[in-house]
Amino acid sequence: MKDIYTALMTPFNQDLSIDYPGLYRVLDKLIHEGNKSFVLCGTTGETSTLKLDERRVLVERVLNKYPRIRVIVGICSNNTAEVIRHIQMYHDNPAIYAFLIIVPYYIKPSQEGIYKHFDMIASSTDKKLLIYNIPSRCGVAITPETVIRLAKKHSHIIGMKQCGPLEDIAAIKTVLPLFKIYLGDDHLLLEGLKMQIDGLISVASHIDYPLIEKIIQQEQTFDDWCLKVLSQFLFKESNPAPIKYILSQMGYIQNILRPPLTSVSLQLEKELVPLIEKYKQNDLKH
């Protein structure tokens, strides 16, 4: 079975503090459906708006309440020294599988700069690291050659989350067959499976984990089409606004995001009505 990680959103209260009861309701739902692996403090978790202490406390509280889950912790910074400090902030916990380190965004470093960024981070810790490649948000991509160079030097750089070209997966796997590659695009799951991905880091699993599990097990084209349609709605506007709106309408959380993110448009609210009604009915069945 491939790994399925839900890239967990972070619910907020009216005063913009973290809504832990809401977070636990979503986690309880996912765990009941069979999901045991999660990414905390990732892009979907609005991590760029979370203070450092909030991130640490969030991870600690989730792991204390759910000791049997497995967690990847996102580290959101384009400052090499800050990334090192952020990793050191977390206490050793066997439930933390790895740290997901984003390619430095906005400043557009060269490949040599990207290499040095991850090289310095890996040299500062013996904890497992995953590279997060998402050129659409970062403005720059890490090449397969740089990934291979890093993985050959640092054995604890164990894999990556790939939101870039699928052909990069084959280029890396050919040289590093044991290097873990997690797809970060729900709508490309079936295509990714054909490229021998090791799993999926998913947003859609918040509301349809069973569908994703079924696609991974059976690779049926119709199920994949359903996931593509669902993903289209989830990313029509800036993530995580659509998934938070859907979960709020299903009664799990409040529809609150931290600035500069805002809720979905009235137009998208209307478009989401049939989808929400479908998943409300599924919830009632369980």
Side-chain angles (χ1 to χ4, degrees):
M1 176 70 176
K2 307 288 187 182
D3 294 324
I4 305 170
Y5 284 86
T6 295
L8 207 63
M9 55 81 239
T10 304
F12 298 117
N13 296 304
Q14 289 290 341
D15 63 0
L16 297 184
S17 61
I18 296 175
D19 173 15
Y20 282 102
L23 181 62
Y24 299 153
R25 281 191 292 273
V26 174
L27 276 163
D28 287 343
K29 167 191 181 295
L30 289 167
I31 290 168
H32 176 74
E33 291 171 348
N35 195 180
K36 299 293 192 299
S37 302
F38 302 91
V39 174
L40 300 179
C41 301
T43 307
T44 306
E46 296 174 68
T47 307
S48 59
T49 71
L50 298 178
K51 297 175 183 176
L52 271 187
D53 195 53
E54 286 181 306
R55 301 180 200 182
R56 179 185 57 78
V57 171
L58 186 152
V59 172
E60 288 178 356
R61 289 186 65 166
V62 168
L63 292 182
N64 285 339
K65 185 170 178 63
Y66 302 95
R68 296 184 180 179
I69 66 173
R70 184 163 73 161
V71 160
I72 292 171
V73 176
I75 305 291
C76 179
S77 176
N78 61 359
N79 180 316
T80 307
E82 278 196 8
V83 171
I84 292 169
R85 185 161 59 90
H86 292 187
I87 293 171
Q88 292 170 343
M89 172 182 72
Y90 291 98
H91 301 301
D92 287 332
N93 188 315
I96 297 178
Y97 172 60
F99 291 88
L100 181 63
I101 315 297
I102 197 166
V103 170
Y105 49 86
Y106 183 71
I107 51 179
K108 293 188 176 181
S110 65
Q111 288 303 305
E112 187 60 26
I114 293 172
Y115 174 82
K116 287 185 176 178
H117 176 74
F118 285 101
D119 180 40
M120 290 177 68
I121 294 165
S123 297
S124 74
T125 182
D126 59 358
K127 295 175 180 177
K128 292 178 181 176
L129 305 178
L130 297 166
I131 297 166
Y132 182 8
N133 186 40
I134 180 164
S136 64
R137 286 184 179 266
C138 293
V140 67
I142 187 169
T143 64
E145 292 76 18
T146 303
V147 171
I148 292 165
R149 185 181 170 199
L150 285 162
K152 283 186 173 181
K153 181 175 180 181
H154 300 283
S155 61
H156 58 295
I157 297 181
I158 61 167
M160 69 186 297
K161 176 183 177 183
Q162 173 68 347
C163 294
L166 288 179
E167 55 266 28
D168 286 2
I169 298 172
I172 295 167
K173 282 287 192 180
T174 299
V175 180
L176 303 171
L178 299 181
F179 189 77
K180 291 186 176 293
I181 300 183
Y182 297 105
L183 189 67
D185 294 309
D186 284 292
H187 68 287
L188 295 176
L189 176 56
L190 195 59
E191 292 86 338
L193 290 170
K194 297 182 190 309
M195 304 291 288
Q196 304 303 309
I197 58 169
D198 294 276
L200 178 70
I201 294 177
S202 168
V203 175
S205 55
H206 278 92
I207 56 173
D208 208 333
Y209 177 85
L211 174 64
I212 291 168
E213 192 175 64
K214 187 179 176 186
I215 293 168
I216 286 175
Q217 291 172 343
Q218 300 179 12
E219 298 191 22
Q220 295 294 321
T221 305
F222 177 75
D223 295 326
D224 182 66
W225 176 82
C226 292
L227 181 58
K228 280 177 166 53
V229 172
L230 172 58
S231 301
Q232 182 181 10
F233 282 104
L234 293 181
F235 291 94
K236 270 198 169 184
E237 295 181 10
S238 294
N239 179 50
I243 193 66
K244 290 188 97 169
Y245 178 74
I246 294 168
L247 288 170
S248 73
Q249 294 301 298
M250 293 174 68
Y252 288 99
I253 63 170
Q254 301 175 75
N255 184 36
I256 300 170
L257 298 97
R258 282 186 177 177
L261 288 174
T262 58
S263 183
V264 297
S265 64
L266 291 176
Q267 177 60 37
L268 186 53
E269 283 187 11
K270 293 176 184 176
E271 293 177 22
L272 288 173
V273 169
L275 194 71
I276 291 165
E277 289 305 313
K278 172 190 173 182
Y279 285 108
K280 275 185 177 178
Q281 290 301 316
N282 286 354
D283 256 19
L284 290 174
K285 290 176 185 176
H286 298 100

